[in-house]
Amino acid sequence: MWDILLLFSSICSVVVGAPVTVTGHTGESLNIRCTYKSGYESNPKYLCKGACIYGNRIIMVKSGSPAEDQRFSLSDNTTARVFTVTITDLRTEDTGQYWCGVKRTGTDVYSEIVLLVKQVNKTTEDSTISPSSAKPSFFQHNRNKSTIQQHYNHRSEQINRCSV
């Protein structure tokens, strides 16, 4: 009976808090900040991808050793009780469910992260003619901006520049 109890306790996990969604863009870098409670400063930390099931964990990076995929790195600020996972050169296939893990005796402590990686749109400029005025409008799409600027050309016609 004790063997069954020990086996059960070794596959349990403790999930802390609601999932956190983070968004990045292809080709860019992203930092995932994982907090932990006092008393776990010296415990090993890691980030796993997917279900993170005991015995079938896909560990992306763990403290004290380099990651297999060199785009992933982990640093631990024990004073602030935060470990940070940096992912460089984000790819669309990095999108998914991740878990910040703190190893401890018996059951590890997890925080769920949902990573969304969006495709970077290059700056484009489109010209359209409005049927009512036959005046051109220019729409410029830039990532990381959401502004509308109004400009006037030399004939005092209004040109709208939109960044989305």
Side-chain angles (χ1 to χ4, degrees):
M1 173 149 162
W2 288 108
D3 292 335
I4 294 171
L5 180 61
L6 289 174
L7 176 63
F8 179 73
S9 69
S10 67
I11 61 174
C12 290
S13 61
V14 177
V15 177
V16 179
V20 174
T21 300
V22 292
T23 303
H25 295 91
T26 55
E28 295 182 347
S29 295
L30 177 82
N31 290 323
I32 300 173
R33 295 173 42 90
C34 307
T35 60
Y36 54 90
K37 292 184 178 186
S38 179
Y40 297 120
E41 292 84 352
S42 62
N43 292 49
K45 314 319 185 283
Y46 59 92
L47 181 79
C48 67
K49 185 175 183 179
C52 203
I53 299 168
Y54 179 80
N56 193 25
R57 293 181 183 149
I58 301 171
I59 305 289
M60 302 307 294
V61 64
K62 59 185 172 183
S63 56
S65 60
E68 198 171 303
D69 183 341
Q70 295 299 310
R71 298 179 307 119
F72 288 78
S73 63
L74 187 150
S75 62
D76 189 5
N77 180 337
T78 56
T79 304
R81 293 190 312 272
V82 173
F83 71 93
T84 303
V85 175
T86 301
I87 309 171
T88 59
D89 189 27
L90 281 171
R91 302 172 185 162
T92 53
E93 59 264 28
D94 293 328
T95 293
Q97 179 186 42
Y98 290 83
W99 298 89
C100 294
V102 177
K103 188 156 185 64
R104 58 182 205 166
T105 305
T107 59
D108 292 355
V109 179
Y110 293 100
S111 298
E112 184 179 6
I113 306 292
V114 176
L115 173 59
L116 303 174
V117 179
K118 295 184 177 182
Q119 198 65 263
V120 174
N121 293 327
K122 294 186 179 183
T123 300
T124 58
E125 189 168 287
D126 302 320
S127 178
T128 59
I129 302 295
S130 170
S132 61
S133 65
K135 295 179 185 174
S137 296
F138 297 93
F139 301 94
Q140 186 176 21
H141 305 282
N142 291 319
R143 65 186 168 101
N144 300 333
K145 286 187 177 179
S146 182
T147 60
I148 297 176
Q149 300 174 350
Q150 295 183 340
H151 298 279
Y152 294 88
N153 66 15
H154 65 280
R155 290 178 282 170
S156 297
E157 295 173 331
Q158 185 176 349
I159 298 174
N160 292 323
R161 294 224 182 255
C162 302
S163 297
V164 182

